[in-house]
Amino acid sequence: LGRIHDAGEALAAADFARQAGFDNFNLDLMFGLPQQDLDQCLEDVAKAIEAGPAHVSCYQLTIEPNTLFHHRPPVRPDDETLWNMQAGLQNLLGNAEYQQYEVSAYARADRQCHHNLNYWQFGDYLGIGAGAHGKVSGTDGQVQRYWKIKHPTGYMAADESSAFYGAVNVVPDTQLAFEFMMNALRLTGGFDTGLFTARTGQDINTIQAILDKHIDQGLLNLDGTTVAPTDYGSRFLDTLLQDYLPE
């Protein structure tokens, strides 16, 4: 995969962390790798569980621009195998008392990643340093996304009056509901309707008709004021989210 470490070094790093007294660390895994079969995927997950992390992230391999795989796409497992990998790893992690609380995140009790929860709940965050991204909500309700100059040399040479920004974008009001839902519906527990208003400045009624449609289709559940994806809905998030895009 072009990484600078191998499997043995990854497991050794986890062991060193545990020996040093860390009881709260995460392991990242990818599945759906070139030439990977179901047994190999589940063996990876079993080894990760043995390493004793408090948190495990399991991502299906995606092909990103400007990577070797993008220029030379590998042969990856078919859709049926990918589904079996997903179901198998969920079962293994569940049996080991890791609770899935986000599309790709599993944690032991009270070990959910607060840093990432902030992203998924459409919270603000500061981007500090070359290539960093940030999101800031103004007192006027305006939401800005910005990123810093990517290359360290350019970042260091930038005029301080520019605050080293590569660019600043204001999220249009018509896009806020989509951006909120794109993040919040990754959470298995969903979100409170009050959070939608707090983060977007919009009343939940602005998307109520779409919510009602998705509830009727069995894609979402509404329990009091909590909106959450159903197991069925979680399988079709990309399709579901398109309904929240501005026309």
Side-chain angles (χ1 to χ4, degrees), residues 111-122:
R111 295 296 196 178
Q112 293 89 349
C113 178
H114 292 280
H115 174 82
N116 286 346
L117 279 172
N118 179 57
Y119 292 143
W120 298 321
Q121 294 171 345
F122 206 48

Side-chain angles (χ1 to χ4, degrees), residues 1 31-37 40 60-61 63 68-79 81-82 85:
L1 297 176
F31 68 95
L33 308 179
Q35 303 179 34
Q36 186 182 43
D37 61 28
Q40 291 170 329
Q60 182 180 318
L61 174 65
I63 305 301
L68 180 60
F69 280 172
H70 185 259
H71 295 293
R72 299 178 184 175
V75 177
R76 291 181 288 168
D78 59 35
D79 288 344
T81 302
L82 288 172
M85 287 178 175

Side-chain angles (χ1 to χ4, degrees), residues 15-27:
D15 190 47
F16 292 152
R18 191 170 52 252
Q19 290 181 31
F22 291 99
D23 65 352
N24 188 15
F25 62 91
N26 168 74
L27 288 181

Side-chain angles (χ1 to χ4, degrees), residues 130-131 148-156:
K148 300 298 184 71
I149 294 171
K150 182 176 181 179
H151 297 289
T153 301
Y155 175 80
M156 295 297 291

